[in-house]
Amino acid sequence: MKYFLITTSDKRSWGSYQNNIFLGSWCESFGKENPENLKIQNYHWDDKEKFERDIQYLNDLYETKLDELSIAMNKIHNETNNKSFWRIIIGPWLKSFIDVVFDRYESIDLLNSEHEIDNTYCLKANYLDWTPKDFNEYFNLIKFDEWNHLIYSEIIKYLGIPFNEIKTPLIRLSGGKRKNSLQKLFNHINNYYNKLLPNKFNKNFVVAGYFKPLQLIKFHFFLKQIPQFLNYELEINRAKTIKTDVRSKIILNSNNKFEVLLNDLIRKQIPTAYIESYELIKKKAIKFFPKHPAVILTSNAYDSNEAFKFWVASKKESINTKYIINQHGGNFGICFYNQSEKHQILTSDIFTTWGWIDSNNKKIKPMPSYKLQQLKYKRRNNSSNIQLLVASYPKHFYTLVDQPNASQNIEYFKGIESLLNKLENNVKRKLKIRIHQDLYGWKVKQRFCELGYKDSLEDSSSISFKKSTNNSSISICTFNSTTFLETLSANVPTLIFFSSNRYLIRDNAKPMFEKLKNVKIFFETPEELAKHLNDIHLDIYDWWNQQELQSTKNEFCYNYARKSENWASIWVDLFETL
């Protein structure tokens, strides 16, 4: 049978053919808006063995491409920087881009090998308009249909699949978040203050460290320094001209058909921050950031802050500045594979965790989390709400980590539906289902409304997580994330449910999760969690305050959500050893 191929949920690329095939469930329109005679292709990473094989191939390919691009970048910019320098600057984009393009290629290639494609539509696009300006813009673009339609179209043409190019233009969305006026004013005043502060007064610097302002001031005092807020993030304008002649000279080798296409897309899609705007970013970073840092600490500037990355890379190379990256959220140390965690450990001198260790890597240091330290919850006495936390993942695969990706999100929603179906009615009436704004088109709100939970929904943009938790008797987390680390560390009654088939747990963490299962905090099936919640909902604190449960919870927090009232002095001790 011949099919018309549909690659995204953008209906401008849908045809009116008799037999249609969706590349994946991300193409679906929830409800009755899908074409008739429809087939949906299975997702290639549903095969766990393939997923694990591909991780190794993609890691090896990344190292090869980073070698080649390090040489190319040095030639383009007339520099002699080492591979570690370029890993810090272009590594986050390059690793993500390789993984994302591979995912799109494998999806198309698998479908093409199993079915005969008669036609598909490719919207007209000027490729140069789609080159991102920096990592931030790139990471926004890859989550939405427009950019993905462009990449799928390139793959379709490359593989020789029949297509028609239609005149409807592919409109480019603006990427990244814009700062509001108040943020800009604060940044302007703060930047002026930093210019007035002589470099010699401070030798240790924090950028995007996840400190609250008063925490950061306290930390500076413990370091015997003048408080300083280095939150500079350069506003990069789009380069007026894409230097195709320069990009075409980037030499990249290939060992298979996929890599030939990848090399071409790297030249086209490498952000202008690393080619056309590189000298501007370099100049601005040198002008703004301190000249002689002894130690630099960050939690989340390591990938998207282009000026910061140049500063760190250059100071590590020129004056041996020590670079600390602090774990900024959950999943780390728990999930089987996390691409971002791997990058952070590779690029830092010290990677500080919220308690977990790796005996094979001396870089990794367990430390108390100052982020968790600041979280305080106070439950209202009369509250009987049951907080149910729902994840929000993009439709398209966007990062190599063990979680539901792309079409696997449908399975995730079905798991929550199974949980709801097994709850008793008096439990259901207490539910507050906390959802995020539907940025990615899964129509989460509509799904829950059709299940009969319209009055139970709670919009995360309307009520803070802290307020929601204070109004709840228990929190249920349905995904591997920071959230349950926050609630457990604050001793909020917590239930955790996620399938270890989709959220793979690394070997070092499995014994601790077995202990959580034994005290009925962690569950791998929705049916088991529902039964337990039905049993305890009238006397949650009698269950929660059991000695064995509290002991297990405290042991887990020490290893994955550690806190200490003496966090500042412990952190100062670390700085003084460097």
Side-chain angles (χ1 to χ4, degrees), residues 539-554:
D539 52 4
I540 287 172
Y541 277 88
D542 286 348
W543 160 72
W544 186 251
N545 289 325
Q546 293 176 34
Q547 184 176 353
E548 182 184 2
L549 183 150
Q550 283 291 311
S551 176
T552 300
K553 182 265 299 179
N554 290 339

Side-chain angles (χ1 to χ4, degrees), residues 176-225:
K177 298 179 180 178
R178 293 183 179 180
K179 293 183 174 66
N180 61 40
S181 299
L182 191 61
Q183 285 177 311
K184 289 182 179 179
L185 177 62
F186 172 78
N187 289 343
H188 180 74
I189 295 171
N190 185 54
N191 290 345
Y192 183 72
Y193 166 76
N194 285 319
K195 288 179 182 178
L196 294 177
L197 187 66
N199 289 172
K200 65 181 180 181
F201 286 172
N202 291 347
K203 65 177 183 177
N204 304 305
F205 299 93
V206 178
V207 179
Y210 265 16
F211 286 96
K212 290 289 187 181
L214 290 179
Q215 278 188 315
L216 186 54
I217 291 171
K218 176 182 178 180
F219 186 47
H220 275 294
F221 282 146
F222 269 69
L223 288 169
K224 299 178 183 178
Q225 297 188 161

Side-chain angles (χ1 to χ4, degrees), residues 18 61 86 138 190 240 254 350 376 387 561:
Q18 183 175 0
L61 181 59
W86 292 111
Y138 156 78
N190 185 54
K240 293 181 179 180
S254 58
I350 299 291
K376 308 292 182 184
Q387 181 190 67

Side-chain angles (χ1 to χ4, degrees), residues 70-130:
S70 296
I71 295 170
M73 293 298 102
N74 280 332
K75 286 183 178 180
I76 289 171
H77 301 299
N78 194 27
E79 296 183 345
T80 58
N81 300 310
N82 59 29
K83 182 179 179 180
S84 297
F85 176 96
W86 292 111
R87 186 189 299 275
I88 290 173
I89 291 178
I90 67 173
W93 169 79
L94 179 61
K95 183 64 173 75
S96 174
F97 187 74
I98 290 171
D99 297 344
V100 165
V101 174
F102 180 81
D103 169 76
R104 309 310 189 255
Y105 182 91
E106 288 290 286
S107 294
I108 295 281
D109 195 42
L110 176 64
L111 184 146
N112 192 41
S113 67
E114 294 180 347
H115 305 285
E116 185 175 357
I117 304 304
D118 184 47
N119 197 10
T120 188
Y121 288 162
C122 296
L123 303 180
K124 189 175 182 179
N126 180 353
Y127 216 100
L128 296 181
D129 292 341
W130 290 83

